[in-house]
Amino acid sequence: MKIPSTIWTLLIGIGLTLVSLWYGQNHGLLPTAASDEAVLVDNLFNTMMIVSTGIFLLVEGVLIYSAFKYRRRAGDNEDGPPVEGNVPLEILWTAIPTIIVIGISVYSFDVYNEMGGFNPHAVHEAPITQQSMTMPGAAIAATLNDTPPSTEPNLNQEKSDEAMQDPATAAVRNADQIPQKRNAPGVGIVAPTIGGSLDKAGQPPELLVNITGLQYAWIFTYPETGITTGELHVPVGREVKVNMTANDVIHAFWVPEFRLKQDVIPGRQSEIRFTPKIAGTYDLVCAELCGPYHGAMRSQVVVETQEAFDQWMQEQLVASKETLNQAVAMNPANQSPNEFLAPYIKDMGIKPEMLNHIHH
């Protein structure tokens, strides 16, 4: 019994749909989804993979079938039949891609909106402040390299070598060149941002971190404690707000497991909010060509439990206190810590109370 072509078409359509649905959900092309926002992006990507797989199999299947079915037979030297245009078919293969593109565009907009990315008024509502992007911990480190010359000949050389290896110190020593610091206090430019998700709109973040990108390192500052480090630590399940700016050229903050990427621009403040959900250590990559050593501009994002995060914060505070004590110990004039450090913190937005807290 010959099966009608309509039945074959139906069976092939069902088969293509099932294969596309399976592969779209099991492609294994994405890394671990380590943030709440990653789920939204993955659903969009999976949808595009389902559609793309179905179209690919359909088009390639028709090509292979046609190449086999209408191949040139032995002894057949005649011309093929003349074929004119097929208007309904041309309308069909124009309309279907158009509908698919519009559908994916609307879905993409919805995902971006749910992640908090669509806020055209943010540029006017959140001016950058001079204090927001300071690096107190690095400022303290800078005192180790800007103290008056020592009577010991090797000490100055050692401090100079430390300055060459410490990007945080170098950033502070050139703080007057940072674009946002040349702006008037309280005035600046805010780049388009990815803010809080719809369910957290209008709520303050549970953790604030300031990030400065420079060739070729990331500097992370926790403004509530003044801690400055070279890697980002965040607790599981708490929304994190990241304020970012660049010291020199354009960089890009990208954590593949978070499905988040944002340009970091000199003179502009970019913002990202995310909620990590899986503990682990993830690579932070600069995704913008920023110079000859761009490929080496990497850091780590450590997602840990609240207890581990609190312990890490305490360890950093102790380390900051020891650094400050070393700086004060080098004070040849026997000045108070505030007097000795005043020249270095004047333009950094560091409050004397913070230094007292760390020192005592």
Side-chain angles (χ1 to χ4, degrees), residues 96-111:
I96 291 178
T98 301
I99 294 173
I100 292 174
V101 170
I102 292 176
I104 292 177
S105 299
V106 172
Y107 189 9
S108 302
F109 176 86
D110 182 65
V111 169

Side-chain angles (χ1 to χ4, degrees), residues 192-208:
T193 63
I194 299 179
S197 57
L198 292 181
D199 59 332
K200 297 179 180 178
Q203 300 178 12
E206 298 180 70
L207 179 64
L208 177 63

Side-chain angles (χ1 to χ4, degrees), residues 135 169-182 247 344 347-348:
M135 296 178 288
T169 300
V172 175
R173 291 169 65 89
N174 298 294
D176 59 328
Q177 300 178 17
I178 300 177
Q180 72 270 17
K181 288 195 173 296
R182 293 199 297 264
N247 191 15
Y344 310 105
D347 296 325
M348 297 302 298

